[in-house]
Amino acid sequence: MKQCVEHFLADVWEQITSVYQQESKRISALKGQSRLQAGVFNYLKVTWKKGRNHYGTISLDVSEPFSWSDSAYKIEAGPYIQEMTELNHIEELFSALCTKIERMFQSEQYGPRFFDYHFQVVLEFEYDQTMLCYQVELLHERKLALIKQELATFIQSKVMDELPVRPSDNDEFFFARHLVNPHFFHQTAEEIEPFIHRLQEKHRANKERLDQWIYHYTIAFKHWAEEQFLTHYFEQTGDYIKEWVPKTENAVQQLEQEKLNFFLYVALKIGKKEPATRLQYLELAKKLGSQRAADYLQTGSGSFESIRESDVFQGHANDILQTIDLRVMSEEEAAYREALHYIIELLQEGFPKGYQLTLKSRVKNYLPIKKLAKSKLHQFFANCLAYPNLFPLLADYVQVAMEEFAWYQDVEPSEKSAMPGTYAVFGLGLYSNAYFSLVQNYMTLVDTEHQSVQDIYAEVFVEAHGLSEGLMPVFVAILLGANESAKPLKGIEIMEPNLLTALVQELKNKEDYQREFVLYRLFGSQKKLAQHMKQEAPPIKNELEKLLQWMK
């Protein structure tokens, strides 16, 4: 080995050893490492560049670097760099580096969980005004076999086994990444989707775990799409807003149909969490010549009636993009009736309930509820509610549309997010007493932890109907349907004997936490309720005393 190569390698190795010794201590102290994680480190890049220092700078990346940051360890190169003038010197350096890394990688000198089952070695060297790049992928066959065995056991015992058995969140993080790893799975929808679906079903009743699982596989799929697929056929340009620009025709001609099919699958799965990314990926697939992507963008999957037209309205639906576009040609009851029938039939056939709607209409009605977004979806249902003859049809829509842990896409996820059916059921509850039971069903189903547009509905409901003994069941249901962080109501007058008696009767069969929440929304605190009780005379005082016993 050339002496200059030895000196270069010695400087590099001194730094690597120092870093790895520190990291080994940190990793040894970690608790609760996932059974699906073979190890932590799987990457090393050594870079030499000319710089201000006469001999240039050596940079060491022990983890794959982000394009927007520089966390590399820096070493000032020595005089030996002047002797590395030939291409074969650099190649000898890379070969020697790989030999030392391979020996260390295959051993367990830093512990069994220090290295992953694979390891990428990269050398970048500035030479003759160009940047040379060498890279190799190392494989630890025994570790790979062990992690495959662990993965098979995990699938059988944690994924496929019946509830209440479920994986830990940490295990799901690594499982999502293994799903898009060709060492473990064929990159096809047929092989991967059953596992995605199985965990979605397992977490269906737990929104936090469901959201976290969707997040895990979304991130894993995006990484596969952008690091393993798109980079073969596109180049990224731009500093902040990244744009994918097609490479040469030769690259596209080498496109494998199976990989393109999997990319389409990935685009659709990502769309649940990131509709904009789904649209971008489908557009890129279209540029690669995918007719299926073009069809998805134009008409959807083909499983639904994508176009319906009449003299009074036009409707276009795309289940892949989860969009419904409506155009009202004539502002009359018949147009909105036909539009409602179209949407109901789509949902009955399985169209996504959390759709986004666009509307072309000259009329702009909105419900008198401040917290609701003034979206096209809101406008459409408020326009429908202008026709009392459509109320029964709107109620039919609500029954089909309502779904826990689902939200319309008319707004970005925020405090204005609304469960499918919200605008219709809120309007029906305000404009007709025939649909109070529908309001109660909605309030029972709505996610009181993650949705808050219903918080103000109690005040608006009382403004519309007043408050009486007969309304107490639906009024209490509305109160219980509020978000967990909802504040006490304003302007609700309930200090009448008959109303308080009806409230006591309604709360008798409720759970303790439900009673406390209703009373908090009506009176604010136990102290305030006690003050009311002191100021009142029987029979109001007697009823307030009963309520006070339920308030902690």
Side-chain angles (χ1 to χ4, degrees):
M1 187 188 301
K2 291 285 185 182
Q3 195 171 34
C4 58
V5 172
E6 287 185 5
H7 288 310
F8 189 109
L9 196 57
D11 276 355
V12 168
W13 208 253
E14 182 181 1
Q15 182 67 60
I16 290 174
T17 303
S18 174
V19 172
Y20 279 0
Q21 284 175 345
Q22 291 178 7
E23 289 296 325
S24 178
K25 293 176 183 178
R26 180 183 66 83
I27 292 170
S28 297
L30 291 177
K31 303 293 183 182
Q33 282 184 277
S34 171
R35 59 200 286 191
L36 301 181
Q37 184 183 19
V40 176
F41 286 95
N42 58 19
Y43 184 88
L44 175 68
K45 182 169 77 168
V46 179
T47 305
W48 177 78
K49 290 182 180 179
K50 300 172 184 176
R52 294 177 182 175
N53 174 26
H54 184 60
Y55 303 117
T57 303
I58 302 171
S59 302
L60 295 182
D61 287 287
V62 296
S63 297
E64 194 164 358
F66 296 107
S67 60
W68 40 265
S69 68
D70 183 5
S71 58
Y73 295 92
K74 307 293 185 182
I75 307 167
E76 296 298 326
Y80 55 80
I81 206 72
Q82 294 177 313
E83 300 176 34
M84 299 186 68
T85 57
E86 301 294 333
L87 195 60
N88 65 314
H89 295 162
I90 303 168
E91 292 171 349
E92 185 179 7
L93 170 63
F94 181 63
S95 177
L97 176 65
C98 289
T99 299
K100 288 181 74 70
I101 291 290
E102 173 87 30
R103 190 179 302 119
M104 181 174 59
F105 171 62
Q106 296 293 342
S107 73
E108 292 189 354
Q109 68 182 86
Y110 293 112
R113 293 243 178 190
F114 189 83
F115 288 116
D116 205 345
Y117 74 89
H118 63 102
F119 195 95
Q120 187 177 13
V121 186
V122 180
L123 173 65
E124 290 185 347
F125 202 98
E126 193 171 349
Y127 178 79
D128 196 21
Q129 297 184 338
T130 62
M131 183 63 76
L132 300 177
C133 183
Y134 303 85
Q135 57 185 342
V136 69
E137 188 84 14
L138 307 177
L139 203 61
H140 196 303
E141 296 288 355
R142 184 179 62 82
K143 272 194 173 184
L144 175 57
L146 287 174
I147 201 69
K148 282 183 177 180
Q149 187 177 38
E150 193 66 63
L151 185 58
T153 302
F154 169 80
I155 290 172
Q156 189 63 37
S157 63
K158 294 295 185 179
V159 178
M160 303 311 295
D161 201 3
E162 299 298 325
L163 288 171
V165 175
R166 70 177 78 223
S168 70
D169 180 62
N170 194 29
D171 284 343
E172 285 183 357
F173 171 87
F174 291 99
F175 183 54
R177 280 149 181 77
H178 290 338
L179 287 174
V180 289
N181 186 336
H183 281 133
F184 303 119
F185 295 94
H186 294 297
Q187 307 298 268
T188 64
E190 292 74 19
E191 180 155 338
I192 290 174
E193 176 58 25
F195 301 120
I196 298 283
H197 180 73
R198 175 65 175 169
L199 287 176
Q200 283 179 317
E201 289 303 307
K202 277 200 161 190
H203 298 321
R204 185 67 61 188
N206 186 322
K207 185 180 185 302
E208 283 77 14
R209 288 301 306 274
L210 179 61
D211 284 348
Q212 196 64 23
W213 170 235
I214 293 172
Y215 174 79
H216 285 329
Y217 76 67
T218 297
I219 294 299
F221 281 180
K222 284 184 69 176
H223 185 269
W224 177 87
E226 298 184 8
E227 300 297 328
Q228 304 299 322
F229 181 78
L230 289 175
T231 51
H232 291 289
Y233 313 106
F234 297 89
E235 292 177 337
Q236 273 197 306
T237 61
D239 295 327
Y240 298 104
I241 300 176
K242 299 292 186 181
E243 183 179 353
W244 293 95
V245 178
K247 289 184 178 179
T248 62
E249 287 188 14
N250 289 338
V252 177
Q253 288 171 359
Q254 295 170 7
L255 176 64
E256 297 176 31
Q257 188 60 45
E258 186 174 79
K259 286 187 177 180
L260 179 57
N261 290 341
F262 188 67
F263 178 64
L264 290 176
Y265 164 75
V266 164
L268 300 190
K269 296 302 292 186
I270 285 175
K272 184 173 181 64
K273 189 79 175 176
E274 300 185 16
T277 303
R278 173 182 55 201
L279 180 60
Q280 179 193 37
Y281 285 5
L282 290 177
E283 293 284 5
L284 293 174
K286 182 180 175 182
K287 289 182 179 180
L288 292 174
S290 172
Q291 183 58 47
R292 184 141 60 107
D295 292 340
Y296 283 164
L297 290 166
Q298 185 66 30
T299 59
S301 67
S303 302
F304 300 90
E305 184 181 355
S306 60
I307 300 176
R308 183 179 292 188
E309 296 181 346
S310 73
D311 293 339
V312 291
F313 110 103
Q314 293 178 351
H316 297 258
N318 187 316
D319 60 308
I320 298 298
L321 302 181
Q322 295 179 221
T323 58
I324 297 176
D325 303 322
L326 299 178
R327 182 180 181 185
V328 177
M329 317 285 281
S330 176
E331 293 294 340
E332 56 182 280
E333 180 182 307
Y336 289 97
R337 182 181 297 278
E338 290 186 23
L340 278 172
H341 274 300
Y342 181 49
I343 297 174
I344 291 171
E345 289 169 22
L346 287 171
L347 298 189
Q348 287 173 332
E349 292 169 6
F351 193 90
K353 295 178 181 180
Y355 59 86
Q356 181 179 4
L357 184 140
T358 61
L359 174 68
K360 289 186 178 180
S361 167
R362 295 191 304 274
V363 176
K364 291 185 178 181
N365 289 319
Y366 297 103
L367 296 174
I369 304 174
K370 295 178 181 178
K371 206 167 186 179
L372 293 181
K374 289 189 175 182
S375 64
K376 293 295 184 180
L377 195 62
H378 180 181
Q379 179 190 344
F380 170 73
F381 284 106
N383 284 1
C384 290
L385 286 158
Y387 304 99
N389 288 336
L390 294 182
F391 287 2
L393 193 58
L394 282 164
D396 291 343
Y397 167 80
V398 171
Q399 296 286 14
V400 175
M402 285 194 301
E403 181 179 326
E404 190 178 17
F405 305 141
W407 284 269
Y408 284 132
Q409 291 184 26
D410 57 328
V411 295
E412 291 293 323
S414 65
E415 62 179 9
K416 292 186 180 293
S417 296
M419 183 174 79
T422 295
Y423 303 114
V425 75
F426 279 10
L428 290 172
L430 292 182
Y431 301 147
S432 172
N433 58 12
Y435 301 99
F436 288 167
S437 62
L438 195 62
V439 173
Q440 289 174 279
N441 292 341
Y442 174 93
M443 293 299 171
T444 301
L445 187 63
V446 72
D447 180 2
T448 59
E449 186 176 355
H450 300 96
Q451 181 181 308
S452 61
V453 293
Q454 71 276 19
D455 292 359
I456 199 174
Y457 192 67
E459 296 176 15
V460 180
F461 181 84
V462 172
E463 287 179 13
H465 301 289
L467 193 55
S468 64
E469 298 170 68
L471 289 179
M472 194 58 67
V474 65
F475 179 64
V476 169
I478 293 170
L479 292 178
L480 288 173
N483 184 270
E484 295 176 349
S485 61
K487 296 179 180 180
L489 300 174
K490 297 178 180 179
I492 301 296
E493 187 55 58
I494 198 170
M495 303 299 287
E496 297 179 13
N498 60 327
L499 292 180
L500 291 171
T501 300
L503 179 62
V504 169
Q505 291 299 317
E506 190 61 29
L507 292 181
K508 272 185 178 180
N509 298 322
K510 302 298 182 185
E511 299 289 340
D512 289 343
Y513 75 92
Q514 293 176 312
R515 293 169 180 162
E516 188 174 354
F517 185 66
V518 168
L519 294 175
Y520 164 75
R521 297 217 65 208
L522 288 172
F523 299 101
S525 67
Q526 184 186 44
K527 182 179 180 181
K528 289 183 179 179
L529 178 55
Q531 290 174 345
H532 279 297
M533 189 183 70
K534 290 178 181 179
Q535 295 169 1
E536 299 291 342
I540 292 178
K541 183 174 184 177
N542 298 339
E543 299 301 328
L544 290 177
E545 189 173 10
K546 295 175 186 177
L547 296 175
L548 186 61
Q549 294 175 356
W550 288 330
M551 208 168 183
K552 295 179 182 178

